[in-house]
Amino acid sequence: MNKFVIGALAITSAGSLAYAGGDETRAWSTLDRDILSLTQTQGAPATGAFGVNGFVRARGVRSSDVDADQNTPATNEDLSGFLLDNARVEFNASQGDYGAVIRLDAANSGLSGASDGTLTLLDGYGTFKIAEGISGQAGRFRAPFLWSSFLVEENNLVLLDRTFNSQNFQGRQDGVQLSGVYDHLGWWAALQNGVDKMEGDISWTVRVAVNALGTGVGKQEGAYGASGDTSIMLGAGYTDDEGADQTGNVNSGGAFGIDGSLIQGGLSVH
């Protein structure tokens, strides 16, 4: 599904008051140069940007082995109709070293019977620069565990649904995150509330990824929009939600994952 972009504008204007006419023209030109020199000595003004984009995904479905109504007996497995997967709008703003991202969706939650039209906050976080190549963010966001679960949005999937692993780790939580890029290496570290929300336990996630060849695979599954050059990404992550442990085993809430992507021309492997 193609994305539409409404905004993200930066406008700069400059003008001269000079017009044809002897000494008067030279006077205006001198004034222009003086103003320009003064502006440059004061330093460049802070620049900002604001953008809005979104997408809509809908599907028609029919199946004889999926229970469309969870409130009826399992024998009544008959699915036929339409689903609104996404009715998404996203706002992005940046000013100097700071930024903000807000994502809202008004689609239903699948087969649970939730009504379309209820606007839900998916992501809402602020970003800030800490040092060259290192940034932070705070708010509500996905844990940086798998490439496909936290960097690929639904309109950039190859198929209609995520993989089983990506579905398990695509949830959002409130928290803070640090991330950085050094040459071909990227890293992320996040602390979030986890399944117990504001109770004592937390969820923590770390991830590293390297562009082993080429410029990387971006945030799009498949080879759509690829440059044609070979790109290989290898990544590994670990996540541990302490609140998910109900057995007394301190290691039962953890998961380790590795992933990789290859793009060569029109071919992609993930």
Side-chain angles (χ1 to χ4, degrees):
M1 181 72 67
N2 291 330
K3 297 177 287 187
F4 60 87
V5 177
I6 299 176
L9 303 178
I11 301 175
T12 302
S13 61
S16 173
L17 298 176
Y19 59 90
D23 293 339
E24 201 169 356
T25 298
R26 288 192 293 272
W28 281 117
S29 298
T30 301
L31 178 61
D32 284 342
R33 289 195 298 270
D34 292 342
I35 294 176
L36 178 60
S37 176
L38 179 63
T39 302
Q40 291 174 339
T41 59
Q42 296 299 319
T47 58
F50 177 75
V52 182
N53 64 77
F55 60 91
V56 174
R57 292 199 316 151
R59 74 175 80 182
V61 293
R62 182 173 181 84
S63 174
S64 60
D65 54 11
V66 175
D67 191 2
D69 188 353
Q70 304 295 329
N71 298 318
T72 61
T75 55
N76 185 26
E77 295 180 337
D78 187 16
L79 173 65
S80 180
F82 300 91
L83 284 176
L84 180 61
D85 291 329
N86 301 102
R88 181 78 54 86
V89 61
E90 175 179 325
F91 304 91
N92 294 273
S94 65
Q95 179 69 42
D97 294 336
Y98 302 91
V101 176
I102 297 176
R103 294 188 181 97
L104 306 172
D105 207 306
N108 64 35
S109 58
L111 303 179
S112 63
S115 299
D116 294 334
T118 301
L119 197 62
T120 303
L121 174 67
L122 296 181
D123 299 291
Y125 57 86
T127 62
F128 50 93
K129 179 180 177 180
I130 298 176
E132 192 64 35
I134 302 177
S135 61
Q137 69 182 52
R140 180 178 177 84
F141 52 89
R142 287 184 171 126
F145 182 50
L146 299 174
W147 169 76
S148 59
S149 66
F150 87 103
L151 280 180
V152 180
E153 293 297 330
E154 283 81 359
N155 61 322
N156 288 328
L157 299 173
V158 169
L159 303 178
L160 287 174
D161 294 313
R162 298 182 184 273
T163 64
F164 179 79
N165 286 334
S166 293
Q167 290 180 23
N168 276 346
F169 296 101
Q170 68 173 339
R172 277 93 168 173
Q173 296 288 344
D174 299 338
V176 295
Q177 175 179 288
L178 296 178
S179 60
V181 176
Y182 178 75
D183 198 11
H184 294 285
L185 177 70
W187 60 269
W188 298 260
L191 290 177
Q192 296 171 284
N193 285 339
V195 296
D196 66 351
K197 300 187 184 300
M198 292 293 292
E199 295 184 19
D201 296 320
I202 62 172
S203 172
W204 59 276
T205 307
V206 293
R207 174 178 172 82
V208 294
V210 60
N211 293 329
L213 187 63
T215 58
V217 296
K219 301 179 181 180
Q220 166 79 49
E221 285 188 352
Y224 177 76
S227 64
D229 299 329
T230 302
S231 294
I232 299 177
M233 181 276 295
L234 300 174
Y238 182 82
T239 184
D240 193 334
D241 191 341
E242 298 172 355
D245 176 26
Q246 302 297 325
T247 66
N249 180 357
V250 294
N251 296 318
S252 66
F256 177 76
I258 58 175
D259 54 15
S261 293
L262 163 68
I263 299 178
Q264 170 62 63
L267 173 67
S268 69
V269 178
H270 173 63

